[in-house]
Amino acid sequence: MAYTVVIDAGHGGSDFGATYKGRMEKDDNLNLALAVGEILRQNGVNVYYTRTTDVYNTPFEKAVMANNSGADFFVSLHRNSVPEDNTSSGVETLVYNDAGIKAEMARNINANLAKLGFGNRGVIERPNLVVLKRTKMPAVLVETGFINNDKDNELFDSEFDNIAQAIADGILETIRENQSVSEHELYRVQVGAYRDRSYANRLVEQLQREGYPAFLILDNGLYKVQVGAFENMDNAVKMEQRLRQDGYNTFITT
């Protein structure tokens, strides 16, 4: 079963969010949301965006969108701010309460972002935020550095792709760690495993062009290219035979 994740770009439209030297939080949030969503999609996750353009929806409307989507997780992306410029820095992730899978996801995301040079300000409980309180699925709100801190902005811009990857990896790690037993028992045909994501992406695209239901997963630092998800071992064997006839080196995994 594919997971569905709602990616919410905070603010939008007439709501600029925090601003600094002409920079608007709503723009950073949207760019990051689209980048994170694309990585998740390439890893076989269904992605639902609360917005893909510069529009405004109230927090309550966003919660309703998420609930109606039937998603498994809700991830809202923001930039932080304080009254005095350049006095605070780092990343933090907000949750309704510090418990369960949402707290696990928050810590995974923070830890990955900290590897890029951000200070890790931890997991913060914010029970009064509508998008955390009114969503029916586990929800986190990521504050990706302070928009009124020059060093955080420099890091946000220079490491943008890696930041998107870090957040996506935190989500994917949490999904993988909490998959049900039944999902682990599905048979998949693996075609390749790479440390460089670009090589894995090329193979996925090649397989998809040839009509195979290929997808990418991140597991223990490797980008694994797999095809299909079968409850019946015989069907997995048939897929493997077809792939081998087309010249691919394969093995069956669960």
Side-chain angles (χ1 to χ4, degrees), residues 20-21 23 28 79-80 86 118 144-159 163:
Y20 180 64
K21 296 181 178 179
R23 186 175 193 138
D28 285 354
R79 301 291 311 280
N80 220 333
N86 291 301
F118 286 109
T144 316
F146 283 73
I147 199 169
N148 62 337
N149 181 287
D150 292 323
K151 290 183 179 179
D152 276 9
N153 283 338
E154 181 181 352
L155 188 58
F156 186 92
D157 294 336
S158 64
E159 295 288 338
I163 288 169

Side-chain angles (χ1 to χ4, degrees), residues 216-236:
L216 190 65
I217 66 168
L218 177 64
D219 184 25
N220 293 326
L222 290 175
Y223 295 98
K224 298 182 177 181
V225 179
Q226 298 183 348
V227 176
F230 306 95
E231 294 183 2
N232 188 303
M233 179 67 164
D234 289 342
N235 292 333

Side-chain angles (χ1 to χ4, degrees), residues 73 75 101-110 140 170-171 174:
F73 298 97
V75 179
I101 192 171
K102 60 186 179 299
E104 180 182 340
M105 180 176 287
R107 284 181 170 79
N108 285 339
I109 291 171
N110 283 354
V140 300
I171 297 167
T174 309

Side-chain angles (χ1 to χ4, degrees), residues 183-198:
E183 285 178 299
H184 285 298
E185 292 176 344
L186 292 176
Y187 298 101
R188 300 170 179 178
V189 184
Q190 186 159 307
V191 187
Y194 305 88
R195 294 202 177 277
D196 188 329
R197 183 165 165 263
S198 63

Side-chain angles (χ1 to χ4, degrees), residues 1-7 37 40-41 43-49 65-75 105 137-139 171-172 175 183:
M1 179 188 73
Y3 283 82
T4 299
V5 176
V6 174
I7 301 294
L40 293 178
R41 188 191 64 79
N43 279 272
V45 175
N46 296 321
V47 177
Y48 180 96
Y49 299 97
M65 290 180 196
N67 293 338
N68 288 342
S69 74
D72 300 289
F73 298 97
F74 178 92
V75 179
M105 180 176 287
M137 67 289 296
I171 297 167
L172 292 168
I175 289 173
E183 285 178 299

Side-chain angles (χ1 to χ4, degrees), residues 10-12 14-29 78-83 85 143 145-149 153:
H11 307 285
S14 59
D15 177 8
F16 297 166
T19 60
Y20 180 64
K21 296 181 178 179
R23 186 175 193 138
M24 293 183 286
E25 182 190 355
K26 66 172 184 175
D27 296 331
D28 285 354
N29 295 340
H78 287 254
R79 301 291 311 280
N80 220 333
S81 183
V82 288
D85 298 339
E143 298 276 14
F146 283 73
I147 199 169
N148 62 337
N149 181 287
N153 283 338

Side-chain angles (χ1 to χ4, degrees), residues 90-102:
V91 296
E92 61 189 37
T93 300
L94 313 182
V95 292
Y96 178 78
N97 57 23
D98 190 1
I101 192 171
K102 60 186 179 299

